[in-house]
Amino acid sequence: MSIGIGDPVVFPSVIGLEFKDAEKVAYAAGVVIADFDPDAPPIGATVWPHPYIVTAQEPGPGVAGRAWDSLRIRVERLTI
């Protein structure tokens, strides 16, 4: 079953996940990852090719929303 635009969804928790994993979790829940700053470039372009971890999200985990709404995140580059 696919998730249609406007269907009810619940925002997942992505804090503590690497960006790539957070994207997968968000997509599976029916929401899209976006930067907290609406004027920033697409976050996928910002974090590539380095590993980044999600440090904050809005709305929070468990909040009800609509399919394909934005899950705004902050990330921090991992130092290896």
Side-chain angles (χ1 to χ4, degrees):
M1 182 166 91
S2 64
I3 299 172
I5 294 174
D7 286 350
V9 297
V10 175
F11 285 92
S13 175
V14 296
I15 296 172
L17 298 179
E18 282 194 48
F19 175 78
K20 292 182 289 187
D21 295 329
E23 250 188 336
K24 291 174 188 173
V25 168
Y27 184 81
V31 297
V32 293
I33 295 286
D35 196 301
F36 258 89
D37 180 357
D39 295 326
I43 194 162
T46 304
V47 300
W48 183 87
H50 306 288
Y52 280 77
I53 190 164
V54 179
T55 59
Q57 76 175 66
E58 189 179 285
V63 172
R66 295 288 177 194
W68 310 120
D69 281 350
S70 294
L71 173 57
R72 295 173 307 280
I73 63 169
R74 290 190 200 281
V75 294
E76 184 176 309
R77 186 173 172 182
L78 291 175
T79 55
I80 300 173

